[in-house]
Amino acid sequence: MSSFVTRQCTRADCRLRFPVAADSPLGERCPHCGGETVIDVRYDSLDARVPETAAAARAAGPAVAALLDNVRSLPNVGSMFRTADGAGVSHMHLAGFTPTPAHPKLAKTALGAEATVPWTLHRDGAAAAAWLRDAGHRLWALEGGPGAEDFFPRALSERTGPPIVLVLGHEVSGVDPKILGCCERVLRLPMLGLKGSLNVSVAFGIAVYALRFA
């Protein structure tokens, strides 16, 4: 638990309100306009963690791992590690040029989860997919295209059985066709707006939590 203060700018034409650590010298001047600030309230941050035993009991879905093939963005991969830690993902298989926790900047978004979730680097993502399939895992790709099925009816009706490996590919070109050939399912998340897909880390978070907790 950490202590914070909420400061507010005293200038009538600004009134920016923002938090800083209680023991921090920062914030005496408004970061927007430079005006003087005053402390409005002091508080302790709340820990949103559910007790581990209770969270595990609620995770009634299948064991889930992930195969990230040529996901190029450090922030995205770091965010996916943080999600994997929260949802109890068993393993992160990192393929192609997907950055690994060995990269010092990945921790900026993983926030320590890079040290808690097991991971393996595979230079050849197609070979890794074939190996995982032959080992008895169900590979489910999050991908669009005319052959993709809606994620929610399919995923929520087939959660029992062998472990699932969620497969996500390059943010622009998508999942390698040879990897798709190893997949039991190709599933898409519904999109009601102009864009055809979500950010890869957002899509990963939705799918993992639906499988683990829905």
Side-chain angles (χ1 to χ4, degrees):
M1 184 176 293
S2 302
S3 296
F4 291 86
V5 296
T6 299
R7 285 186 169 270
Q8 187 159 26
C9 181
T10 59
R11 286 182 51 170
D13 60 346
C14 179
R15 304 295 291 167
L16 180 70
R17 185 180 178 88
F18 59 96
V20 294
D23 57 355
S24 172
L26 300 176
E28 294 181 1
R29 289 285 176 179
C30 174
H32 177 65
C33 72
E36 292 185 2
T37 68
V38 294
I39 293 174
D40 182 57
V41 65
R42 299 177 183 271
Y43 63 99
D44 293 325
S45 65
L46 300 177
D47 189 348
R49 179 187 297 273
V50 174
E52 186 174 346
T53 53
R58 286 167 51 191
V64 176
L67 172 61
L68 312 184
D69 183 58
N70 290 306
V71 178
R72 60 186 175 178
S73 165
L74 269 168
N76 279 340
V77 175
S79 177
M80 292 159 89
F81 263 88
R82 188 175 178 186
T83 298
D85 173 78
V89 169
S90 61
H91 203 98
M92 299 287 276
H93 297 276
L94 311 176
F97 54 61
T98 303
T100 77
H103 196 296
K105 292 186 178 180
L106 191 138
K108 185 174 182 180
T109 49
L111 298 178
E114 74 282 2
T116 65
V117 181
W119 60 274
T120 303
L121 174 63
H122 308 267
R123 293 300 182 194
D124 184 340
W131 173 75
L132 287 164
R133 177 200 60 196
D134 294 345
H137 295 79
R138 295 179 288 167
L139 273 65
W140 289 8
L142 283 182
E143 182 70 302
E149 304 172 83
D150 191 356
F151 174 85
F152 288 100
R154 178 65 70 182
L156 299 185
S157 65
E158 296 187 16
R159 296 194 310 152
T160 59
I164 292 171
V165 177
L166 275 177
V167 178
L168 297 100
H170 189 274
E171 291 92 329
V172 177
S173 62
V175 179
D176 185 318
K178 281 194 172 182
I179 296 178
L180 287 178
C182 295
C183 292
E184 176 186 271
R185 302 288 179 204
V186 179
L187 304 169
R188 64 175 179 271
L189 294 173
M191 300 292 295
L192 301 181
L194 175 67
K195 303 302 292 182
S197 64
L198 295 171
N199 171 278
V200 65
S201 65
V202 173
F204 176 72
I206 292 170
V208 165
Y209 268 86
L211 287 171
R212 295 287 287 148
F213 292 100

